[in-house]
Amino acid sequence: GQNIDQPTEMTATEGAIVQINCTYQTSGFNGLFWYQQHAGEAPTFLSYNVLDGLEEKGRFSSFLSRSKGYSYLLLKELQMKDSASYLCAVKGNAGKSTFGDGTTLTVKP
Amino acid sequence: DGGITQSPKYLFRKEGQNVTLSCEQNLNHDAMYWYRQDPGQGLRLIYYSQIVNDFQKGDIAEGYSVSREKKESFPLTVTSAQKNPTAFYLCASSPYEAHTEAFFGQGTRLTVV
């Protein structure tokens, strides 16, 4: 089976940097995804890691260490609109993805 | 424009009634998924299909049924056997390849009274 852990809530200040961690234990691994979800809306894709290392995409970066079962999402230059839930998801065997419970990020002025 | 469409956005049903949620995609994706999301929680997989006329149970399939008669369509029926059907239901699709993200519909919020 798959088990994914991420913090429930985080708070940060506008303009700052925040790091959201995700640890996972899986029976198969075909990549780790980060999604952003605003309340009442569908998740939208942010980033993808399948090899170890850092992937940068504008203000968002994601890191993966497969040996440690660990990933993080880094958000720079935080804006108020970044207040949302951030979901870590691992794609395992047979195309199935398992999602964490999400981290609710609140950005304060 | 290509995308994935769920309808309706809000749905109310009486307890004991079956209800079918629609999901249509014109992205030519092979794989389609149904997830359930409860308040403060992540997405839990109900059913998924990687090819037409084939589908597999996810982690919480009890009380639900699906069909995949066309590549574009993957409707979900919430039956009266589902103990707690009130939830936010999300449909997603992706290409068959493993290293691809999922594209989500806008979701259907089902309330059973």
Side-chain angles (χ1 to χ4, degrees):
Chain A
Q2 321 251 68
N3 186 48
I4 299 176
D5 289 312
Q6 47 183 133
T8 303
E9 295 179 333
M10 299 185 72
T11 302
T13 305
E14 192 175 14
I17 299 173
V18 70
Q19 178 175 311
I20 302 174
N21 296 325
C22 171
T23 58
Y24 64 90
Q25 295 171 308
T26 63
S27 57
F29 184 83
N30 279 304
L32 187 142
F33 298 80
W34 284 94
Y35 293 87
Q36 180 191 61
Q37 185 180 27
H38 285 97
E41 297 182 9
T44 55
F45 169 73
L46 287 177
S47 70
Y48 166 71
N49 296 73
V50 67
L51 299 176
D52 291 352
L54 188 68
E55 293 285 339
E56 297 188 80
K57 213 175 182 182
R59 294 191 299 116
F60 297 85
S61 303
S62 58
F63 172 83
L64 175 68
S65 169
R66 289 172 295 169
S67 62
K68 295 182 179 178
Y70 168 70
S71 173
Y72 67 73
L73 179 69
L74 194 70
L75 292 77
K76 303 176 186 175
E77 302 170 14
L78 279 173
Q79 302 174 9
M80 299 299 290
K81 67 178 182 180
D82 296 329
S83 292
S85 182
Y86 292 85
L87 304 171
C88 172
V90 173
K91 185 172 271 191
N93 297 328
K96 290 173 56 177
S97 288
T98 299
F99 285 77
D101 284 344
T103 298
T104 300
L105 173 66
T106 301
V107 180
K108 296 187 173 179
Chain B
D1 289 336
I4 180 165
T5 303
Q6 288 184 244
S7 61
K9 189 167 184 177
Y10 298 96
L11 190 56
F12 295 87
R13 279 294 182 269
K14 291 185 178 180
E15 193 172 342
Q17 289 182 333
N18 290 356
V19 59
T20 298
L21 281 58
S22 168
C23 179
E24 303 279 333
Q25 55 99 359
N26 60 3
L27 299 167
N28 199 34
H29 287 170
D30 291 299
M32 296 187 75
Y33 311 83
W34 273 106
Y35 293 92
R36 169 182 172 138
Q37 188 174 35
D38 292 288
Q41 298 188 26
L43 281 61
R44 291 186 289 167
L45 183 64
I46 304 172
Y47 269 98
Y48 66 107
S49 167
Q50 293 181 303
I51 197 168
V52 175
N53 292 321
D54 188 42
F55 49 83
Q56 287 79 39
K57 293 182 179 180
D59 301 317
I60 56 165
E62 185 176 351
Y64 300 98
S65 66
V66 293
S67 63
R68 187 84 187 278
E69 296 176 0
K70 299 186 299 181
K71 188 175 185 178
E72 302 79 17
S73 179
F74 191 41
L76 173 75
T77 297
V78 184
T79 75
S80 56
Q82 168 52 234
K83 301 297 182 192
N84 297 295
T86 295
F88 187 47
Y89 291 89
L90 286 158
C91 179
S93 70
S94 70
Y96 184 73
E97 295 80 16
H99 309 304
T100 52
E101 75 272 22
F103 294 79
F104 286 85
Q106 65 175 2
T108 294
R109 189 166 298 280
L110 173 65
T111 303
V112 175
V113 295

